[in-house]
């Protein structure tokens, strides 16, 4: 059983100084742990970042979604690694805010509560975990550039960033710009992504570099900036 604690709220504190001047204390940035890491952690102390997914089966949390297959986003993990949410008033409000997409609704959320499992939960015991939420709210994305992300301490921020993805079977980076052939542009800043990328549908839509080993293209990534790498939750190809 894992206990997660409620996310710290944003604070803006103005301290009075001599002569009537005021100094604003920096607003703390909330930090999160990705769902798949939370399932493997003995007692994570940060709120979970996940996608809330609602379909005919009910409501559950998934570590990632693929947005590149068709109109309905697909979970990155099998049901054994998904987290069932019992129906009831505790989640009704957040479900109402989920965005329709094909045959389901989804929303990136921050969750604190108690995880049970592994086991058999939900309809016919389909799902491997269950969470009893204490708090659940929309995940507060920080909109960053690759250059800003590269200089940001990687402590668990939820970020949304657009850049050029370069990916092979075992490695992936996000760079500011590409040169010809899919190589990083000279002096372009870059950040490392957790690899291998699990979104085969997204990779199939990227350009294949000469040699057939590397794929590249412009993308928007939603994920958690943690331990020196960007952990993708959702990746969308940027057209044009």
């Amino acid at each position: 059983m894992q206990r997660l604690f409620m996310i710290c709220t944003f604070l803006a504190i103005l301290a009075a100084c001599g002569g009537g001047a005021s100094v604003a204390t920096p607003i703390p940035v909330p930090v999160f742990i990705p769902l798949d890491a939370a399932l493997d952690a003995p007692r994570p102390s940060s709120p979970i970042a996940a996608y809330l997914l609602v379909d005919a089966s009910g409501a559950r949390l998934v570590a990632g979604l693929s947005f590149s297959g068709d109109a309905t986003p697909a979970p990155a993990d099998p049901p054994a690694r998904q987290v069932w949410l019992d129906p009831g008033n505790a989640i009704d409000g957040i479900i109402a805010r989920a965005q329709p997409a094909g045959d389901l609704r989804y929303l990136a959320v921050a969750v604190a509560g108690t995880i049970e499992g592994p086991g058999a939960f939900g309809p016919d015991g389909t799902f491997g975990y269950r969470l009893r939420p204490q708090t659940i709210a929309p995940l507060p994305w920080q909109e960053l550039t690759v250059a800003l992300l590269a200089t940001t301490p990687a402590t668990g921020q939820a970020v949304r960033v657009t850049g050029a993805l370069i990916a092979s079977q075992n490695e992936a980076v996000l760079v500011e710009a590409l040169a010809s052939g899919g190589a990083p542009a000279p002096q372009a800043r870059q950040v490392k992504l957790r690899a291998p990328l699990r979104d085969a549908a997204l990779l199939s839509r990227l350009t294949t570099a000469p040699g057939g080993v590397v794929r590249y293209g412009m993308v928007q990534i939603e994920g958690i900036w943690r331990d020196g790498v960007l952990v993708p939750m959702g990746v969308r190809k940027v057209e044009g």
Side-chain angles (χ1 to χ4, degrees):
M1 182 178 295
Q2 302 169 327
R3 294 195 174 276
L4 304 173
F5 301 99
M6 182 175 181
I7 179 176
C8 63
T9 56
F10 286 127
L11 298 177
I13 304 172
L14 296 178
C17 298
S22 296
V23 177
T25 299
I27 299 175
V29 175
V31 298
F32 307 94
I33 182 170
L35 176 61
D36 51 1
L39 296 180
D40 297 328
R43 190 176 286 269
S45 58
S46 298
I48 291 174
Y51 283 115
L52 169 69
L53 187 155
V54 186
D55 60 13
S57 298
R60 57 195 189 273
L61 301 177
V62 297
L65 288 173
S66 171
F67 296 93
S68 298
D70 55 31
T72 301
D77 290 318
R81 295 284 290 177
Q82 298 177 24
V83 182
W84 174 253
L85 298 174
D86 286 324
N89 293 334
I91 63 170
D92 286 350
I94 199 71
I95 286 177
R97 302 179 67 172
Q99 175 179 334
D103 296 329
L104 56 78
R105 289 178 288 161
Y106 74 94
L107 180 69
V109 294
V111 185
T114 300
I115 291 180
E116 302 174 19
F121 304 97
D124 301 319
T126 302
F127 305 108
Y129 295 85
R130 175 169 61 189
L131 184 138
R132 301 184 184 278
Q134 296 169 349
T135 62
I136 181 167
L139 193 61
W141 298 116
Q142 294 183 71
E143 303 277 354
L144 297 177
T145 64
V146 175
L148 284 174
L149 184 61
T151 60
T152 299
T155 55
Q157 298 91 327
V159 300
R160 182 186 286 129
V161 56
T162 298
L165 172 64
I166 306 173
S168 63
Q169 183 175 359
N170 297 310
E171 295 182 302
V173 294
L174 192 69
V175 304
E176 288 182 285
L178 293 173
S180 61
Q187 300 182 347
R189 300 296 297 268
Q190 62 181 261
V191 295
K192 186 176 181 180
L193 272 64
R194 189 179 70 178
L197 297 182
R198 299 183 296 168
D199 192 339
L202 179 278
L203 291 173
S204 70
R205 298 184 60 196
L206 301 180
T207 301
T208 303
V213 176
V214 174
R215 293 178 180 270
Y216 63 92
M218 292 298 296
V219 299
Q220 181 189 74
I221 298 179
E222 294 177 341
I224 304 301
W225 180 228
R226 180 174 184 262
D227 297 335
V229 299
L230 177 57
V231 180
M233 292 172 55
V235 185
R236 296 171 174 85
K237 188 174 186 298
V238 175
E239 304 295 344

